[in-house]
Amino acid sequence: MGDIQYDEATADALVKASTAAAEKLRGQAAGRRSAVEQGTDDFSGAYATRFEESAQIEAEDRPKLASVLDDLGDQVNEVTAAAKRERERQADLAAWQVRQDERERKAAESPLGVFEVPAGMGFDFKPSDTPIAPPAISASFSARGRTRTGDGTSGGKSSADPDHLRSFATAYRALDRGAAEELSTLRSAWHGFTGSCGWARIESATFLTGFDRLLEENGEDAAWAERIAEAFERAGGHGSLSNATLDVSAAAELPAAFEKMLDPDLSPAEVAELWAKLGYSKADENDLKALPIPVLSRLGNLEGVDYWARDTANQVVLETRITEAAEQVEALKTTIAYDNGAAYLRASTNLDALRDIDDALDKRKNQGDRYLISLTEDVPPLAAVSIGDLDSADNVTWAVPGMGSETTGMRAWTTSAQHIYDQQADGGAEDRAVIAWMGYKAPPVPVMSGSLDFGVLTNGAAEPGGDNLATSIRGLDAVRAGDEMPTTNVVAHSYGSTTAAFGLTQPGVHVDTFTTIGSAGIPNSIPEADDLHATHVYAGQARNVWAVPGDEKGDQWAGSGRLSPVHNIDPTSSEFGATAFGADGVAGVDELKGVKDHGVSTPDGEGYLDPGTESLTNVGFATTGQPERMTEFVPKGLTDFEQSMLDQMMRAP
């Protein structure tokens, strides 16, 4: 027989901890009621009902847990009392046994073999040798889950004041922190009790798990309220939002229908079908803005989704990313000395790109409606800006840039796309859209930009870029499938023509016209214009000159690009089979200037897409179905530099 394992001090500590936790939980009633009342102010609709239901569950579960903790303290006190009685019993029995042993010894020594009880001594009864069983401890509590979305919330609308919901969340979290402190103390006390009071018999003890779950549910209520507040803030503050939108915005996880639509393995046509089932229209623009930023970021780049929705999503994301990028740049200013400013430079370039995209969309700075139909998560991002409404335009043109292009120059490229848009109006096109498509990572301009990257002579950027362009074209086909399809065109400059050519050989891709300007070369795998999925193929290039001092003005880079071993086909050559057009200007006609540079725009207005050039005029005719009005391509002779090089070769021995 030995002492029982039961430390009364540890047991007392558990009683104090459970009592304190119970008092804390009961004492929070008024504070939580006040927080809920604040949250429900100006909150109406199905989501307000769910909010009140969740608050009611909390108001019922919390006092239940407090009662369980009170009972736990009482039960531990009963066990402590039983432990005291058991120790007393054991002590009494041990003392009696000592006396009994003495009596038996004396009896053995007695001649009569018996122990004579002294006069006046009563009978010494043996204490109970049956151990006292410890009372069972049972402290069970399970917090109920709370339904916040689904199950009837999707119909109709709800309205809320985001400030009131945020106040609720702040107050709830503060109360939860207070309860969590008591839980931490209680958990430590319980672990101490179970470790040093092994004599106690525990039948059930789920109160800690239940306490954890209660606080988790409370925390999710606060996070849920904040997600609803954020949704209303993105939508402009007060007002109402559809419950279907809040089902996405307020949920911790996306609803299955939305998650399915965002599956990257779906085709644009499959996405379009799922998008249509969601039932969003332009009237739901505010609802769309209310969706979580990660959802908007994916939605804005999802081919098959209506373009108004993608623009709405991308502009919300753009605003958020500009703010985040500016904060990152500011934070990295102090790190410049540690990594030679690499992280700061990268962040600054990203911010410049985001701001330039924003400038390209600014109606105060630009002509006509513009839509941000693509904004990738790359740093800096890729992007596409549409001038004109792609959901309704009768004529759509992708403008694909060449080497050295990136979104730090998005506004400039969108301006060139605007020139195409304006020129098409002169050609008679009315409901039209031109996409300034910067949807691939173009190779840099070698040497001149300080780079020794000669990727422009490979297909390394063109092939994945072509895949991206093909996906974009399929996206338009999917969105407009139920309507009369628009006329579709691709205008590609420099290395962009190499990229676009790859895209226009993809299965399921077709455009009405493909026009190259200053081509860096069509891939050798596409030897003829008929190999492209385009009804008509046009090509224009200014006189081929070389970037050397003293040579004539013209296109100084296209010919260099065609020195590539893998994309050296000149689309203006008769062997290729495209319809070549003039770009050097028409003598005697002032309004048709000649192109004097490889770029699309120059300070003197002599780039391929500068207004008033023969090149842009012909692009306008090509993309509006008026090839008969295009000027003819006139082959050029050798430049002065080329002639001098030839003369030297002829004179050489």
Side-chain angles (χ1 to χ4, degrees), residues 12 44 56 84 113 129 133 204 234 265 317 319 339 382 391 395 404 442 482 531 572 576 585-586 596 636:
D12 288 343
S44 64
Q56 183 61 34
K84 184 177 181 180
D129 56 5
S204 174
R234 285 192 297 272
D265 293 330
V317 173
E319 181 180 353
D339 63 349
L382 303 176
D391 289 318
N395 186 303
D531 296 322
T572 65
F576 183 66
V586 178
K596 304 297 184 185
K636 317 302 186 297

Side-chain angles (χ1 to χ4, degrees), residues 279-481:
Y280 283 100
S281 69
K282 287 186 178 180
D284 301 316
E285 183 177 334
N286 279 345
D287 283 82
L288 203 72
K289 290 179 180 178
L291 295 175
I293 291 295
V295 174
L296 291 175
S297 182
R298 295 168 68 183
L299 192 68
N301 296 286
L302 197 57
E303 298 293 348
V305 171
D306 290 345
Y307 291 100
W308 70 265
R310 291 172 61 178
D311 170 64
T312 299
N314 285 328
Q315 295 220 35
V316 172
V317 173
L318 177 63
E319 181 180 353
T320 300
R321 288 179 63 180
I322 288 175
T323 300
E324 293 174 347
E327 292 173 353
Q328 183 182 26
V329 167
E330 188 64 28
L332 286 172
K333 283 182 178 179
T334 59
T335 70
I336 294 176
Y338 297 101
D339 63 349
N340 295 319
Y344 176 79
L345 179 61
R346 185 169 183 262
S348 296
T349 300
N350 183 51
L351 178 59
D352 290 344
L354 292 167
R355 284 175 171 167
D356 211 66
I357 294 167
D358 192 46
D359 279 347
L361 295 164
D362 194 337
K363 292 182 179 179
R364 296 170 300 177
K365 300 178 181 179
N366 306 294
Q367 181 181 353
D369 291 335
R370 297 189 174 190
Y371 305 85
L372 184 57
I373 63 166
S374 179
L375 180 70
T376 72
E377 295 183 356
D378 298 278
V379 178
L382 303 176
V385 173
S386 176
I387 305 164
D389 188 351
L390 289 171
D391 289 318
S392 61
D394 296 328
N395 186 303
V396 175
T397 302
W398 281 264
V400 183
M403 65 176 179
S405 58
E406 56 185 356
T407 46
T408 51
M410 192 73 209
R411 186 182 179 192
W413 183 242
T414 308
T415 298
S416 293
Q418 180 76 52
H419 293 163
I420 298 174
Y421 181 88
D422 295 341
Q423 189 65 43
Q424 289 174 335
D426 292 342
E430 295 182 0
D431 192 359
R432 64 201 184 282
V434 177
I435 306 167
W437 188 83
M438 207 168 281
Y440 79 110
K441 295 181 180 180
V445 179
V447 183
M448 296 294 289
S449 63
S451 171
L452 295 178
D453 184 343
F454 285 86
V456 71
L457 298 178
T458 75
N459 291 331
E463 292 188 66
D467 291 341
N468 293 349
L469 178 62
T471 300
S472 181
I473 294 171
R474 293 189 193 103
L476 179 74
D477 290 344
V479 171
R480 301 294 297 275

Side-chain angles (χ1 to χ4, degrees), residues 172-186:
Y172 238 50
R173 286 202 171 100
L175 290 165
D176 283 345
R177 285 193 294 272
E181 290 175 1
E182 297 297 337
L183 171 59
S184 178
T185 301
L186 178 60

Side-chain angles (χ1 to χ4, degrees), residues 156-233:
K157 291 179 176 288
S158 293
S159 61
D161 186 320
D163 291 338
H164 292 166
L165 289 175
R166 288 195 181 280
S167 295
F168 159 80
T170 299
Y172 238 50
R173 286 202 171 100
L175 290 165
D176 283 345
R177 285 193 294 272
E181 290 175 1
E182 297 297 337
L183 171 59
S184 178
T185 301
L186 178 60
R187 194 188 310 277
S188 296
W190 176 254
H191 290 161
F193 178 77
T194 57
S196 59
C197 298
W199 183 73
R201 182 164 58 92
I202 300 169
E203 283 188 351
S204 174
T206 61
F207 65 96
L208 290 176
T209 302
F211 204 154
D212 279 327
R213 177 69 187 278
L214 178 68
L215 294 183
E216 287 172 4
E217 289 290 334
N218 289 352
E220 182 53 32
D221 275 352
W224 178 64
E226 286 186 328
R227 289 194 294 270
I228 295 173
E230 289 169 0
F232 277 96
E233 287 166 349

